[in-house]
Each structure stands twice: as structure tokens, then as C-alpha cells.
């Protein structure tokens, strides 16, 4: 059942080239610049006119929501708010019939996410779902939605479900952009062509496993860890930190790299591994200067970089290379080494990778 892998988590990490391909199947036609999202078709006009989108979710799905915020705002130019479902439901949120509320949930059963959607529905919003489990409670109450098609996820740590959620959000962002005319058809064709090649790039990224395992061996005894990124790599940093916390029981925090100097920089010393997402994209130079700040304080830097990078290689103690891709798709690749890192550290520390203590796969109580 684990397909020859020692753990479901490892199997599910390796499935990501296939799961993203399944998620894209029948939904993109790059040569024609066409995106087909069956469920959203009826809401084309609504998406064209909408003033605000609110995303509600918990845990890893909330991180996917944050990536979605970057994508939808950048390409579709619609303001997006991303909320923890548990906070949203109890703070008398301001919602009107003009809003679209999107719930993201792997299981489709998370109690807080479900309750947040019910409130949004009561107040007249249009509600969408991005779920993995077909026919679960959330997809049953939503007006429309898109399944992630990642296949069953057994490991408690969400891996392939996260990248599939981000894939769906990428499709939604470009779909909105097309409806609203915030992207040119030629640019859309370029993006969809690149998106079509992502499963192959994921395949290549998965080759970093041995390298990550070596790095994990060096840092397995650290009791703290910082993950830093900017732009859409900030939610990737949050996700890396959550993975490490939940399966390795190592205290980890994710931060936007520039926030470091507002507090967390005080934590940096020779025992603090700092993992940077430092790929070659729009925030590269800024991240490079954040790496210098950490180095100057004796921190130990591990960086995820774009293949062929030399500048960060010279500064970091360890680098992990991932293939070059457009800014829009970096989260889909940069997440993978962080999944491997938490997997190996957990294993080396003797933790139960697939069923970490105190956690359940779906949180059906509030
Ligand atoms: O099924 P959901 O996506 O609604 O679950 C949300 C969270 O409980 C879930 O992502 C949790 O944080 C995972 N264990 C993270 O790996």
C-alpha cells in the first residue's frame, strides 16, 4: 500500500509530479490560452465583477491560501483576504452578497472551515471550495468549486495536497485574470505553457532528496529552526516550518525575510539553522542582503536556490538547487525540499512520520 516506500509521507512527496499533472489534466490548453474550470464556468461574470475574495482555511491549507493571495492579486488584480477559519467564524466578519468566499480543505471536513463557510453563506456570499476528498461535507455545501485531484493523502502531514491546492489557485488566478482582462492573451499562453511543464520540473526537483538527507543529518539535533522567504516564498517558509514542527517536534518559525530585523534576528547564533528560499526571481537581491545579515551574526544558512546560482552558493553553508521557473510557479517547486527536510529530520529523531503525536488527519472538532 505504501508502494515500496517506507512511509506514506515519502510516497506522497514523490507522487507530486503525477498529482499536479492530474490536477491540470483537462483544465489547461496552453496553445489556445484556454483554462477550463468546469465548476467555475457559471460564475464567470461574478468573477469578472467581484470586488473582494476571502479565503478561509486552517493549517497547510491556509498557507496555500496565502500563496493564492499573491497569485490572485498579482495576476487577477482582485483584493484578497486570507483568514484562519477559526478566527473568521467567531469575529462577526463583514461579508456581503458581493463577496466570494473560498474555503480550502484537503479533507473537506475541517470543522472550523466548514463553520466559516456556513457563516459566509448565511450572509449571502458566493461560496467556493477547493477540496481533495470528493463528496466531503465542504464540497457538498458550496455553490461551486474545483477538486484538487491529488488522490488519497494518508500521511498526517499534508504534502501533495498542498501543491495541488496551489495548482488550483494558480489556475483560478489566471482564470480571473483572463475574465477581467488583466493579462494579455499572449502572456497567458506563455504562463500556461510553463505551467504545463511544471510536473516535469517537479520530477527534477524530487532529485534533491539525497542532498537534503545529507543536510538533515547535519542539523538533526538542532532544537530550533527559522524559515525565511519573501513574496510568495513567505508562505512556503511558513509551510516548511509547520512541516518541521508537526513531524519532527522541532521548534520552527517561518517569517517574511524582511521582518527578521524586527525581532527574530535576536535569536540568531551558531546553533540556529536558517533556511532561506533564495531563488532567482523578483525578490532575489533583497533576500541576498537578508542572508548577509544572518551570516554577519554567525547564523548557519541553508538556501534553496535556482540551478546554477553562484552568489548565494558562496555565502551559504549548504545550498539545494531547484529548476528555474517563473515567479508564479516557484512555490510548487520550493516546497519540495522543505518536505524532504522535515521527513528526514523526523526519521533521524525517531519520530512517527505518518502519525505524529497529538495530531489527526482531519480535525472535525473545533
Ligand atoms: O483537511 P484540511 O486541509 O482542512 O486540514 C487543515 C489542517 O488541519 C491541515 O492542513 C494540517 O495543518 C496538516 N496536518 C498540515 O500538514
Amino acid at each position: 500500500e505504501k508502494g515500496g516506500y517506507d512511509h506514506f509521507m515519502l510516497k506522497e512527496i514523490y507522487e507530486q509530479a503525477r498529482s499536479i499533472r492530474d490536477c491540470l489534466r483537462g483544465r489547461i490548453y496552453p496553445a489556445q490560452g484556454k483554462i477550463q474550470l468546469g465548476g467555475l464556468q457559471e460564475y464567470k461574470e461574478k468573477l469578472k465583477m467581484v470586488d473582494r475574495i476571502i479565503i478561509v482555511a486552517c493549517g497547510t491549507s491556509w498557507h496555500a491560501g496565502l500563496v493564492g493571495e499573491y497569485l490572485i492579486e498579482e495576476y487577477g488584480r482582485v483584493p484578497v483576504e486570507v483568514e484562519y477559519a477559526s478566527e473568521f467564524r467567531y469575529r462577526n466578519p463583514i461579508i456581503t452578497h458581493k463577496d466570494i468566499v473560498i474555503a480550502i480543505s484537503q479533507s473537506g471536513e475541517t470543522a472550523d472551515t466548514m463553520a466559516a463557510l456556513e457563516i459566509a453563506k448565511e450572509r449571502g456570499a458566493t461560496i467556493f471550495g477547493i477540496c481533495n476528498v470528493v463528496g466531503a461535507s465542504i464540497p457538498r455545501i458550496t455553490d461551486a468549486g474545483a477538486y484538487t485531484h491529488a488522490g488519497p493523502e494518508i500521511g498526517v502531514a499534508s504534502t501533495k495536497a498542498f501543491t495541488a491546492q496551489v495548482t488550483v489557485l494558480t489556475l483560478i488566478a489566471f482564470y480571473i485574470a483572463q475574465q477581467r482582462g488583466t493579462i494579455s492573451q499572449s502572456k497567458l499562453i506563455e504562463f500556461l505553457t510553463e505551467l504545463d511543464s511544471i510536473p516535469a520540473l517537479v520530477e527534477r526537483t524530487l532529485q534533491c532528496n539525497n542532498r537534503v538527507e545529507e543536510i538533515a543529518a547535519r542539523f538533526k539535533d538542532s532544537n530550533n529552526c527559522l524559515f525565511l522567504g519573501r513574496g510568495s516564498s513567505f508562505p512556503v517558509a511558513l509551510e516548511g516550518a509547520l512541516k518541521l514542527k508537526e513531524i519532527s517536534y522541532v521548534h520552527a518559525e517561518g517569517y517574511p525575510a524582511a521582518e527578521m530585523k524586527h525581532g527574530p534576528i535576536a535569536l540568531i547564533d551558531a546553533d540556529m539553522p536558517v533556511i532561506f528560499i533564495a531563488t532567482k526571481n523578483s525578490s532575489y537581491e533583497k533576500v541576498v542582503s537578508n542572508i548577509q545579515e544572518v551570516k554577519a551574526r554567525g547564523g548557519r544558512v541553508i538556501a534553496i536556490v535556482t540551478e546554477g546560482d553562484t552568489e548565494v552558493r558562496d555565502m551559504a553553508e549548504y545550498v539545494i538547487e531547484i529548476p528555474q521557473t517563473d515567479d508564479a510557479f516557484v512555490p510548487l517547486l520550493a516546497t519540495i525540499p522543505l518536505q524532504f527536510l522535515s521527513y528526514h529530520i523526523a526519521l533521524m529523531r525517531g519520530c512517527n512520520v505518518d502519525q505524529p503525536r497529538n495530531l489527526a488527519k482531519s480535525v472535525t472538532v473545533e
Side-chain angles (χ1 to χ4, degrees), residues 90-148:
Y90 287 119
R91 64 171 177 73
N92 195 10
I94 302 161
I95 322 255
T96 72
H97 66 279
K98 292 196 326 210
D99 295 317
I100 294 178
V101 175
I102 306 178
I104 308 177
S105 175
Q106 187 286 130
S107 61
E109 300 293 349
T110 300
D112 282 323
T113 310
M114 182 76 182
L117 264 191
E118 275 163 352
I119 290 172
K121 188 177 192 156
E122 254 166 51
R123 300 189 182 183
T126 300
I127 58 173
F128 291 166
I130 299 177
C131 295
N132 194 44
V133 177
V134 176
S137 304
I138 291 173
R140 277 191 274 120
I141 71 157
T142 47
D143 296 310
Y147 282 114
T148 45

Side-chain angles (χ1 to χ4, degrees), residues 58-61 105-107 110 156-158 165 242-243 246 363:
C58 304
T60 287
S61 299
S105 175
Q106 187 286 130
S107 61
T110 300
V156 165
S158 180
Q165 289 164 342
L242 177 62
K243 285 290 88 94
E246 70 177 333
V363 184

Side-chain angles (χ1 to χ4, degrees), residues 13-284:
I13 293 173
Y14 273 107
E15 274 172 353
Q16 290 174 106
R18 186 201 48 76
S19 54
I20 295 175
R21 200 172 285 124
D22 287 347
C23 179
L24 292 173
R25 181 166 300 119
R27 288 174 164 169
I28 57 168
Y29 300 87
Q32 296 145 290
K34 190 171 150 199
I35 301 167
Q36 183 127 25
L37 283 168
L40 300 191
Q41 185 73 20
E42 263 187 77
Y43 292 89
K44 232 172 162 168
E45 276 308 302
K46 179 99 197 176
L47 285 165
K48 189 170 173 179
M49 306 313 292
V50 70
D51 299 326
R52 174 171 82 144
I53 293 174
I54 301 168
I55 296 177
V56 292
C58 304
T60 287
S61 299
W62 182 78
H63 298 153
L66 290 177
V67 176
E69 174 181 20
Y70 279 91
L71 294 168
I72 296 170
E73 291 200 344
E74 172 73 21
Y75 301 105
R77 310 302 299 152
V78 183
V80 177
E81 286 166 30
V82 187
E83 306 245 12
Y84 282 118
S86 56
E87 287 297 314
F88 179 88
R89 63 180 288 199
Y90 287 119
R91 64 171 177 73
N92 195 10
I94 302 161
I95 322 255
T96 72
H97 66 279
K98 292 196 326 210
D99 295 317
I100 294 178
V101 175
I102 306 178
I104 308 177
S105 175
Q106 187 286 130
S107 61
E109 300 293 349
T110 300
D112 282 323
T113 310
M114 182 76 182
L117 264 191
E118 275 163 352
I119 290 172
K121 188 177 192 156
E122 254 166 51
R123 300 189 182 183
T126 300
I127 58 173
F128 291 166
I130 299 177
C131 295
N132 194 44
V133 177
V134 176
S137 304
I138 291 173
R140 277 191 274 120
I141 71 157
T142 47
D143 296 310
Y147 282 114
T148 45
H149 298 305
E153 191 181 64
I154 313 291
V156 165
S158 180
T159 54
K160 63 174 179 169
F162 174 76
T163 47
Q165 289 164 342
V166 171
T167 304
V168 168
L169 287 159
T170 307
L171 292 172
I172 292 178
F174 288 131
Y175 188 72
I176 293 176
Q178 186 172 43
Q179 304 316 318
R180 295 168 79 95
T182 50
I183 196 168
S184 69
Q185 196 58 16
S186 60
K187 197 75 200 148
L188 184 62
I189 290 174
E190 271 176 41
F191 274 122
L192 295 182
T193 308
E194 175 88 6
L195 183 55
D196 206 27
S197 75
I198 288 295
L201 297 185
V202 165
E203 201 82 67
R204 264 172 55 203
T205 308
L206 289 165
Q207 293 169 7
C208 72
N209 184 29
N210 291 343
R211 169 89 182 134
V212 177
E213 189 175 358
E214 276 167 39
I215 298 171
R218 307 278 167 162
F219 292 98
K220 68 177 184 1
D221 298 320
S222 299
N223 287 321
N224 293 288
C225 195
L226 268 181
F227 290 78
L228 303 175
R230 300 178 80 118
S232 61
S233 292
F234 158 53
V236 173
L238 291 177
E239 175 59 8
L242 177 62
K243 285 290 88 94
L244 193 63
K245 277 182 270 207
E246 70 177 333
I247 62 162
S248 318
Y249 319 144
V250 171
H251 171 234
E253 294 200 50
Y255 260 97
E259 270 294 304
M260 215 182 30
K261 56 173 81 61
H262 300 285
I265 201 161
L267 293 167
I268 291 173
D269 62 16
D271 296 323
M272 176 66 96
V274 186
I275 296 154
F276 275 96
I277 297 124
T279 51
K280 277 255 160 68
N281 47 55
S282 50
S283 49
Y284 179 72

Side-chain angles (χ1 to χ4, degrees), residues 277-317:
I277 297 124
T279 51
K280 277 255 160 68
N281 47 55
S282 50
S283 49
Y284 179 72
E285 293 304 332
K286 300 268 178 213
V287 174
V288 167
S289 48
N290 297 134
I291 294 178
Q292 278 157 344
E293 289 158 9
V294 170
K295 285 268 294 177
R297 284 153 187 92
R300 306 186 60 185
V301 174
I302 303 156
I304 295 171
V305 299
T306 304
E307 272 167 4
D309 180 290
T310 52
E311 199 176 342
V312 174
R313 179 180 295 275
D314 291 341
M315 291 189 285
E317 194 172 336

